[in-house]
């Protein structure tokens, strides 16, 4: 288990290794994100003030041409906790780590990576990596080990992809995450983005998810619809998320509502969030947000609510995020 003193040594050693590995034909990028907030958290059982590292990370990625229209690419990314030095938790964790080939046929990669369903959400989640992250109530946010992933080339804006998740347990079936994409998830090349994604036997759930995004003037609007069921059939739920973000000068103002319903007894968990980001540059921003959550589902646990009916939660944070690369 790594402690806080291991982190700089690991970073230095890994950076040196990749610098030595890269040759003149390689395009090597070192990148990362430092995202830390000062947060007041009331989970319904008590409140505390804390400093939170919001999916801070660093990584290395690159590519090298093998022959005409074919190149090898790689990504090695780690999560770093910039706030908590508890020796009970790893200060450095594994994120997306793959190697693959890409060309006119599309791209194929092998290793640890976000499933197709998780990747298909694009930029719809306006509070990604914070308390109101889509994963707080929905299922399917899986960065799976032992994956083989293929994405097709785009044809008239359409493409498809599939993730195969190999099980290392003889008693657990291999999983599949697959679906169809249309448009640019960042809405820079197209006016619309849409995705249909399906998980089968992935992390004990079967999931169907529809994602859509567009712009009304400068205002970006996104919608996610999800239906999930445990593989053994014990839980069956459906939910939705609506988000909106509007830029004004150096500001981006945003809001999001998410709810999930338990089909067995009509109980629901729901959250509402509002926030604002102020951009000093494309790489640096400060932000503030509020999330309120009401919990009523007792039959199963969500990441945000647990299984605690009648609980009301409140979270407030101010923070800074800086992205870097060289």
């Amino acid at each position: 288990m790594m402690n806080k003193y291991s982190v700089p040594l690991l970073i230095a050693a890994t950076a040196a290794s990749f610098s030595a590995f890269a040759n003149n034909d390689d395009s090597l990028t070192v990148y990362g994100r430092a995202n830390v907030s000062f947060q007041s958290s009331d989970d319904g059982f008590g409140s505390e003030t804390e400093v939170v590292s919001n999916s801070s990370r660093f990584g290395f990625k690159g590519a090298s041409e093998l022959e005409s229209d074919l190149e090898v690419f790689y990504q090695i990314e780690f999560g770093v906790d910039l706030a908590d030095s508890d020796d009970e938790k790893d200060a450095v964790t594994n994120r997306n780590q793959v190697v693959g080939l890409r060309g006119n046929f599309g791209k194929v990669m092998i290793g640890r990576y976000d499933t197709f369903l998780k990747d298909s959400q694009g930029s719809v989640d306006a509070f990604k990596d914070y308390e109101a992250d889509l994963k707080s109530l929905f299922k399917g946010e899986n960065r799976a080990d032992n994956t083989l992933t293929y994405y097709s080339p785009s044809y008239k804006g359409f493409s498809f992809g599939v993730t195969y998740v190999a099980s290392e347990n003889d008693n657990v079936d291999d999983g599949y995450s697959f679906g169809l994409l249309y448009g640019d998830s960042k809405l820079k090349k197209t006016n619309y983005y849409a995705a249909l994604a399906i998980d089968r036997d992935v992390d004990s759930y079967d999931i169907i998810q529809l994602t859509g995004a567009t712009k009304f003037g400068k205002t970006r609007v996104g919608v996610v619809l999800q239906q999930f069921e445990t593989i053994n059939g014990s839980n069956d739920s459906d939910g939705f998320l609506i988000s909106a973000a509007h830029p004004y000068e150096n500001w981006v103002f945003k809001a999001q509502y998410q709810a999930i319903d338990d089909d067995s007894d009509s109980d629901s968990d729901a959250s509402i969030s509002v926030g604002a980001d102020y951009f000093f540059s494309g790489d640096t921003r400060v932000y503030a947000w509020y999330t309120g959550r009401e919990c009523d589902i007792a039959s199963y646990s969500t990441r945000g609510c647990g299984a605690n009916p009648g609980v009301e939660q409140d979270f407030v944070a101010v923070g800074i995020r800086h992205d870097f690369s060289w």
Side-chain angles (χ1 to χ4, degrees), residues 153-282:
S154 178
Y155 178 73
K156 294 186 177 181
F158 289 93
S159 62
F160 67 90
V162 57
T163 302
Y164 168 73
V165 184
S167 172
E168 296 180 313
N169 186 336
D170 292 339
N171 297 318
V172 178
D173 291 336
D174 295 342
Y176 298 88
S177 182
F178 56 94
L180 184 67
L181 306 171
Y182 173 77
D184 173 21
S185 63
K186 296 182 179 180
L187 300 179
K188 293 182 177 180
K189 298 178 181 179
T190 60
N191 294 325
Y192 301 94
Y193 173 72
L196 168 65
I198 299 171
D199 273 7
R200 287 293 177 262
D201 296 319
V202 179
D203 197 30
S204 302
Y205 282 92
D206 291 339
I207 303 171
I208 299 176
Q209 182 170 282
L210 288 170
T211 301
T214 189
K215 284 185 177 180
F216 297 96
K218 293 183 178 180
T219 303
R220 179 191 177 103
V221 177
V223 177
V224 181
L225 305 176
Q226 185 181 101
Q227 190 277 330
F228 65 82
E229 181 180 6
T230 53
I231 293 173
N232 62 15
S234 60
N235 299 119
D236 186 0
S237 299
D238 56 82
F240 68 93
L241 176 148
I242 300 175
S243 66
H246 180 78
Y248 177 74
E249 296 182 347
N250 287 10
W251 293 89
V252 174
F253 299 95
K254 54 191 181 181
Q256 184 162 291
Y257 180 81
Q258 183 181 11
I260 191 78
D261 295 324
D262 181 0
D263 292 345
S264 64
D265 56 19
S266 299
D267 288 334
S268 64
D269 292 345
S271 69
I272 187 168
S273 302
V274 293
D277 297 352
Y278 180 85
F279 288 80
F280 294 100
S281 66

Side-chain angles (χ1 to χ4, degrees), residues 9-264:
L9 294 176
L10 175 65
I11 295 173
T14 310
S17 299
F18 271 86
S19 298
F21 171 77
N23 58 46
N24 293 334
D25 297 326
D26 289 335
S27 60
L28 172 65
T29 300
V30 180
Y31 67 94
R33 174 178 300 168
N35 187 351
V36 182
S37 58
F38 186 71
Q39 183 170 316
S40 173
S41 303
D42 184 348
D43 63 3
F45 299 96
S47 61
E48 63 177 351
T49 301
E50 55 186 335
V51 176
V52 179
S53 181
N54 302 291
S55 295
S56 299
R57 67 199 69 165
F58 75 94
F60 310 86
K61 60 184 178 180
S64 180
E65 186 175 6
L66 299 177
E67 55 186 58
S68 179
D69 298 322
L70 181 65
E71 65 178 12
V72 59
F73 67 94
Y74 59 88
Q75 179 182 10
I76 313 292
E77 184 174 293
F78 302 93
V80 184
D81 193 330
L82 302 181
D84 192 347
S85 61
D86 187 351
D87 289 338
E88 296 297 319
K89 297 172 60 179
D90 287 338
V92 177
T93 56
N94 294 316
R95 290 175 59 88
N96 287 334
Q97 299 174 350
V98 292
V99 62
L101 296 172
R102 59 191 174 203
N104 292 333
F105 63 89
K107 67 178 180 180
V108 60
M109 52 190 171
I110 188 167
R112 176 188 302 104
Y113 204 75
D114 295 342
T115 63
F116 177 88
L117 186 144
K118 177 176 167 59
D119 202 28
S120 72
Q121 295 160 6
S123 304
V124 169
D125 187 352
F127 291 85
K128 186 175 178 62
D129 297 332
Y130 302 120
E131 188 62 42
D133 190 302
L134 179 149
K135 66 186 176 185
S136 64
L137 297 183
F138 284 0
K139 304 297 182 181
E141 285 283 286
N142 297 306
R143 179 175 295 117
D145 296 337
N146 308 312
T147 65
L148 176 65
T149 298
Y150 170 74
Y151 280 88
S152 76
S154 178
Y155 178 73
K156 294 186 177 181
F158 289 93
S159 62
F160 67 90
V162 57
T163 302
Y164 168 73
V165 184
S167 172
E168 296 180 313
N169 186 336
D170 292 339
N171 297 318
V172 178
D173 291 336
D174 295 342
Y176 298 88
S177 182
F178 56 94
L180 184 67
L181 306 171
Y182 173 77
D184 173 21
S185 63
K186 296 182 179 180
L187 300 179
K188 293 182 177 180
K189 298 178 181 179
T190 60
N191 294 325
Y192 301 94
Y193 173 72
L196 168 65
I198 299 171
D199 273 7
R200 287 293 177 262
D201 296 319
V202 179
D203 197 30
S204 302
Y205 282 92
D206 291 339
I207 303 171
I208 299 176
Q209 182 170 282
L210 288 170
T211 301
T214 189
K215 284 185 177 180
F216 297 96
K218 293 183 178 180
T219 303
R220 179 191 177 103
V221 177
V223 177
V224 181
L225 305 176
Q226 185 181 101
Q227 190 277 330
F228 65 82
E229 181 180 6
T230 53
I231 293 173
N232 62 15
S234 60
N235 299 119
D236 186 0
S237 299
D238 56 82
F240 68 93
L241 176 148
I242 300 175
S243 66
H246 180 78
Y248 177 74
E249 296 182 347
N250 287 10
W251 293 89
V252 174
F253 299 95
K254 54 191 181 181
Q256 184 162 291
Y257 180 81
Q258 183 181 11
I260 191 78
D261 295 324
D262 181 0
D263 292 345
S264 64

